[in-house]
Amino acid sequence: MAQRTYGSADPWAAAITIPARNEADRVSACLDAAAIALAGRGGIVVTVNGSTDATLDLVRAWFVTTGTSGVVIDDPAPPVGSGVGRARRLAIAAACVRLRQDGTILTTDADSRVAPDWLDANLAELTRADLVCGTVLPEPAEISALPAIISEKGAPEGEYFALTLAVRALLDPVPHDLEPTHINPAGASLAFRMPLYTDVGGIPDIAVREDRVFVEHAESRDWRVRHSSIAQVWTSCRLDGRTGDGMSRALRERIDNKDPVVDEALNPADLTILQARVKGQLRREFAGKPGFGAAWAQALETRPELRSHRMFLSELQTNLPQLRSKLAELQIVPTDGSPTLGGRVLRHFKGIAHETGCSL
């Protein structure tokens, strides 16, 4: 494994970390966007892991040409079973050496483009949270070219997301994660500082789901997690992803499988309500004091009925009217004829789902 540094040796206020494997077609656009967002306030660290194309040469040339401060790690033969989790860990380890004590670590992906105000949006969210999960949007030109069956199968899932968010807002409002929010943590847009990273043991060295596990660990340790709608990233809609999971797999499933699995954040209607009620009750009991995360973890361990259940699309479609009716039961009916609280919340979250690429 080799490592090269570029640019100024001054301490960084922020570090954008990027894993890159066989991303020759996209990595330059990713780096250009990251540099615009960074605006000279830090550096970029790229781990080129197990790549067999020109990614490494392109990344090194980009740093030389632009003069951007950064580090490029060449990890040509990662251990069997490792993957993006290891690549992120290596990048963050190199970044923290250059980072100021109060500096910010951010993660994205080599097939993604961060918004020009991405760093500023994350810094703003970090004034009231400890870990920011940004909104990951599909590349508009790419998603419009995909088969129509993808959006057709995604429509009920999009509404289910909106209903789930509305239920959570009513039964388990989180002070540091109020609307507009979402429930999809992704390594394409995370932001945090080193005390959190160290406390949770870092991003796990696993091939898939490293981002979701990292966020789960942070929540279990009572760090405040914010699902931001203003920290935005556009990511590819390709069907040949670099891992066995993620967006590419989900897209292929919707083309090839008549009854694909839906997002793991979604649960059957009864379970959606039960989890929100229990979490809301626990959150009120702790009232911001330490212990909520551990209490919820214990509840999941001792109460099997609380554990998430991965659904297929057909099961989601069966549960969709049930979740609609259960949300209606939660509505508070005003006496002045104005829209119910449940109705207002649902309309709001349907708007979010639409803006983030879910068809409703």
Side-chain angles (χ1 to χ4, degrees):
M1 185 165 59
Q3 180 173 306
R4 292 186 187 179
T5 60
Y6 300 86
S8 170
D10 293 339
W12 296 345
I16 299 175
T17 62
I18 306 167
R21 178 174 178 265
N22 292 337
E23 294 289 1
D25 293 338
R26 300 174 186 267
V27 70
S28 295
C30 168
L31 292 170
D32 287 342
I36 291 171
L38 196 60
R41 289 171 286 182
I44 300 171
V45 182
V46 182
T47 301
V48 181
N49 59 314
S51 199
T52 57
D53 68 0
T55 298
L56 179 64
D57 292 338
L58 288 169
V59 171
R60 287 174 171 171
W62 183 90
F63 277 98
V64 171
T65 301
T66 64
T68 304
S69 293
V71 179
V72 177
I73 301 165
D74 178 21
D75 187 23
V80 175
S82 68
V84 67
R86 170 185 166 87
R88 293 196 198 280
R89 288 179 69 91
L90 289 171
I92 293 169
C96 72
V97 174
R98 304 286 302 275
L99 202 66
R100 289 187 342 203
Q101 187 172 2
D102 62 344
T104 302
I105 294 284
L106 304 101
T107 75
T108 190
D109 291 332
D111 67 335
S112 302
R113 295 182 302 110
V114 303
D117 65 347
W118 183 65
L119 175 56
D120 293 314
N122 278 292
L123 292 176
E125 296 285 30
L126 284 170
T127 63
R128 48 188 173 267
D130 305 305
L131 171 57
V132 181
C133 306
T135 295
V136 180
L137 303 163
E139 282 282 7
E142 293 186 21
I143 196 167
S144 64
L146 292 175
I149 190 64
I150 291 177
S151 60
E152 292 169 9
K153 289 182 177 178
E157 189 172 359
E159 182 175 358
Y160 210 95
F161 266 114
L163 292 164
T164 298
L165 284 162
V167 167
R168 292 186 181 192
L170 289 168
L171 296 179
D172 180 30
V174 182
H176 53 266
D177 200 22
L178 298 174
E179 58 182 64
T181 186
H182 63 86
I183 48 176
N184 287 105
S189 185
L190 297 175
F192 49 88
R193 296 191 170 96
M194 286 307 296
L196 177 148
Y197 187 76
T198 302
D199 181 62
V200 304
I203 290 179
D205 182 3
I206 54 180
V208 296
R209 294 194 73 253
E210 85 294 339
D211 41 15
R212 297 199 183 211
V213 174
F214 176 66
V215 173
E216 290 167 3
H217 287 172
E219 289 182 314
S220 72
R221 300 283 294 172
D222 289 323
W223 292 97
R224 298 169 301 168
V225 177
R226 169 67 173 153
H227 298 82
S228 173
S229 65
I230 63 171
Q232 296 187 342
V233 174
W234 291 272
T235 197
S236 69
C237 298
R238 63 188 176 196
L239 302 178
D240 58 339
R242 301 301 181 257
T243 71
D245 209 343
M247 181 179 289
S248 61
R249 186 193 67 81
L251 293 173
R252 289 197 311 272
E253 278 274 302
R254 281 156 179 73
I255 295 172
D256 301 334
N257 194 332
K258 291 183 178 180
D259 194 14
V261 292
V262 299
D263 194 282
E264 65 180 274
L266 302 177
N267 283 305
D270 288 340
L271 182 54
T272 298
I273 299 292
L274 180 60
Q275 283 188 347
R277 286 194 187 281
V278 174
K279 291 185 81 170
Q281 180 180 352
L282 287 173
R283 210 179 298 275
R284 288 188 294 273
E285 289 177 4
F286 284 93
K289 298 177 182 178
F292 165 77
W296 174 242
Q298 183 179 19
L300 289 175
E301 180 68 25
T302 58
R303 297 180 57 180
E305 73 274 15
L306 287 172
R307 296 172 194 166
S308 292
H309 166 76
R310 193 73 180 265
M311 292 190 293
F312 290 91
L313 179 60
S314 59
E315 188 177 0
L316 180 144
Q317 291 170 320
T318 299
N319 275 268
L320 187 55
Q322 298 177 29
L323 194 55
R324 287 195 200 109
S325 64
K326 289 179 182 296
L327 178 62
E329 294 171 4
L330 298 173
Q331 292 177 349
I332 301 172
V333 182
T335 58
D336 61 1
S338 60
T340 65
L341 176 58
R344 294 198 303 273
V345 171
L346 178 57
R347 269 204 309 278
H348 171 78
F349 285 116
K350 279 190 174 183
I352 293 173
H354 177 72
E355 291 170 5
T356 55
C358 297
S359 297
L360 294 174

